[in-house]
Amino acid sequence: DESKKVPYSFYAKVKRNGVEDDVEVTSTLANLIKEHNLGTEDVISLTYQPLAVFRVRPVTRCTDTMPGHTEAILHVSYSPDGRHLASGGGDTTVRFWDVNTNLPKHTCRGHRNHVLCTAWSPDGKKFASADKNGVLILWDPVKGQALSTIKAHTKHITSIVWEPMHKNKECDRLATSSKDTLVKIWNARTKRNIATLSGHLDSVECIKW
């Protein structure tokens, strides 16, 4: 039975710099002899030991498929409770999915270019998406409706992050970064820019709060 075979590793006692050491035999004994300049009169002691066997089943099939986007999917993010999934794609749409049923809940249109990044608010009540035109859209993920559309940057937005809930229970602040070298902080309730952080000389690719 192939499944019951136990693999072994082999070691040879070889003197290196006057000290005897166990060297693993990774190919053939002939290669080992050449590598360590051993002579025909040298005695080589071999030891072996069984290797641990981890019987990991390879992934051979996809568990679920959720068709819908007509172009490449560029970003996905799970809701904080893990029950919903949101995706943004090259077809300019944001789609909300039910993870348990694998069925779509909402298809949201509002972007006019590739949706590059998405992010749920920590309480799961708001959702943000951003596109290649530098437009930020805030959504109601329950109703699938846009709450506001903001021209946030002059170039495409690379990353979105919300302020952690333990810092702000209202979950109404988020930050965006862009290829225009700026990081901006926004109030999701008033839709206003609270602060602009400059100093980078090139595109800001990722931000964390």
Side-chain angles (χ1 to χ4, degrees), residues 138 150 172-174 185-194:
L138 300 177
I150 304 167
D172 60 0
R173 284 194 290 267
L174 70 158
I185 301 175
W186 305 88
N187 186 302
R189 182 170 44 83
T190 64
K191 288 80 178 177
R192 291 185 177 182
N193 177 212
I194 301 173

Side-chain angles (χ1 to χ4, degrees), residues 9 11 18 45 51 98 115 118 128 134 137 156 163 188 192 194 207:
S9 60
Y11 298 88
S45 298
L51 295 174
D98 186 306
V115 180
T118 62
I137 299 182
H156 67 254
E163 184 178 11
R192 291 185 177 182
I194 301 173
I207 51 174

Side-chain angles (χ1 to χ4, degrees), residues 90-93 109-115 131-133 135 137:
D91 58 3
T92 74
T93 65
R109 293 176 172 83
H111 289 286
R112 295 190 176 183
N113 210 328
H114 297 8
V115 180
D131 66 28
K132 199 172 180 179
N133 287 344
V135 173
I137 299 182

Side-chain angles (χ1 to χ4, degrees), residues 125-150:
K125 295 179 179 180
K126 292 180 284 293
F127 181 83
S129 61
D131 66 28
K132 199 172 180 179
N133 287 344
V135 173
L136 172 71
I137 299 182
L138 300 177
W139 306 88
D140 179 342
V142 176
K143 297 179 180 179
Q145 297 176 350
L147 300 174
S148 60
T149 300
I150 304 167

Side-chain angles (χ1 to χ4, degrees), residues 20 76 118 168 178 185 198:
E20 194 171 62
V76 296
T118 62
N168 177 16
S178 171
I185 301 175
S198 60

Side-chain angles (χ1 to χ4, degrees), residues 147-200:
L147 300 174
S148 60
T149 300
I150 304 167
K151 177 57 177 175
H153 292 271
T154 58
K155 294 185 178 180
H156 67 254
I157 297 173
T158 56
S159 184
I160 307 172
V161 63
W162 290 82
E163 184 178 11
M165 196 170 186
H166 69 275
K167 288 283 189 179
N168 177 16
K169 293 182 180 180
E170 298 298 321
C171 299
D172 60 0
R173 284 194 290 267
L174 70 158
T176 57
S177 64
S178 171
K179 193 175 176 63
D180 64 9
T181 75
L182 299 177
V183 174
K184 294 186 178 183
I185 301 175
W186 305 88
N187 186 302
R189 182 170 44 83
T190 64
K191 288 80 178 177
R192 291 185 177 182
N193 177 212
I194 301 173
T196 298
L197 310 178
S198 60
H200 289 283

